[in-house]
Amino acid sequence: MPSFPFKIVGLDLDGTLLDTSGDLTAAVNHALASAGRPLLTVEQVKPMIGGGARHMLAQGMAATGGCSEEELDVLHRRLLDFYEANICVMTQPYPHALDALDRLAGMGVTLAIVTNKLERFARAILDTLALTPRFAAIIGGDTMGPGNGKPSRKPIDAMIQRCGGGTAAFVGDSIYDVAAAHAAGIPAIACRFGFLMQPVEELGADAIIDGFDQLIPVLERL
């Protein structure tokens, strides 16, 4: 039997490993309500997720009338404070995700998280769900310094280094994920079930999965 082709598999967090849409929508709506704006549905917020909290809120404000940078600064702080206090109320792993992680770990694959969420928030969620010990590296949107979240290759390069080096693949749901992986010279797998900003076929990923039950067979074919 041929050996598994990847020593490292990295995953995005929001819309990939975890469905965080309920808690993120609650945080966006808390900020919107404080500014007297109409609230958004989970389905409206999902395409706004992926570029970090400020980017998500800016889109929410644009959808409800726009705002100045100064107002966005204030509301961003409110969103972060609310989210930190309510970070894992509805958040759960996607179906079959933990089974896939177990199987990969059983094959000796090193696992990592690379997200554009602030690292402390990513760690808080993973701690709450008792998932932190599964990952050799957890890299947030702020870990590599300002301006170095995905689509920069820097967090992917850091992931590979922190996981000991070797062949790697990355799993995500946004153009940021695919662009970062490709910039770092590794294949990208896109999740059709994620928080898509555009049709998944337009992301340019090397493969697409409809669920985590497809991940390992897809990785084996890459």
Side-chain angles (χ1 to χ4, degrees):
M1 181 176 177
S3 61
F4 194 71
F6 299 104
K7 293 183 178 180
I8 301 163
V9 173
L11 302 103
D12 176 48
L13 200 62
D14 302 275
T16 300
L17 179 64
L18 304 178
D19 184 355
T20 55
S21 59
D23 291 329
L24 288 171
T25 299
V28 169
N29 281 337
H30 174 78
L32 292 176
S34 75
R37 300 297 182 90
L39 305 186
L40 301 175
T41 67
V42 170
E43 293 308 312
Q44 286 175 302
V45 172
K46 278 183 179 180
M48 302 176 182
I49 300 168
R54 186 183 178 91
H55 177 74
M56 175 178 66
L57 179 60
Q59 291 180 88
M61 292 298 287
T64 57
C67 69
S68 66
E69 286 296 311
E70 291 75 14
E71 185 178 16
L72 186 61
D73 287 340
V74 172
L75 296 177
H76 183 216
R77 182 74 261 160
R78 290 178 189 168
L79 182 153
L80 292 178
D81 289 345
F82 180 89
Y83 187 55
E84 190 162 21
N86 302 274
I87 201 164
C88 198
V89 177
M90 294 172 273
T91 292
Q92 289 292 331
Y94 280 102
H96 309 295
L98 300 189
D99 291 340
L101 297 185
D102 286 340
R103 288 186 59 199
L104 288 168
M107 292 187 286
V109 175
T110 302
L111 301 170
I113 294 291
V114 181
T115 174
N116 276 346
K117 186 187 292 295
L118 294 173
E119 182 180 333
R120 74 177 192 274
F121 287 175
R123 289 185 178 275
I125 293 173
L126 292 168
D127 285 349
T128 301
L129 295 173
L131 296 177
T132 301
R134 293 173 177 267
F135 301 104
I138 299 170
I139 298 171
D142 57 333
T143 304
M144 308 308 296
N148 289 318
K150 298 172 292 184
S152 168
R153 65 175 290 168
K154 289 185 178 180
I156 303 295
D157 291 337
M159 172 193 83
I160 294 170
Q161 180 184 22
R162 294 181 187 191
C163 290
T167 55
F170 194 71
V171 186
D173 68 316
S174 77
I175 193 66
Y176 305 118
D177 299 314
V178 175
H182 285 170
I186 68 171
I189 297 92
C191 303
R192 194 183 301 277
F193 51 85
F195 304 156
L196 299 171
M197 307 173 194
Q198 61 205 93
V200 69
E201 290 81 8
E202 295 180 6
L203 297 180
D206 299 276
I208 297 169
I209 57 171
D210 298 319
F212 270 96
D213 53 334
Q214 299 176 358
L215 178 59
I216 292 173
V218 164
L219 287 168
E220 288 173 332
R221 291 195 297 269
L222 285 179

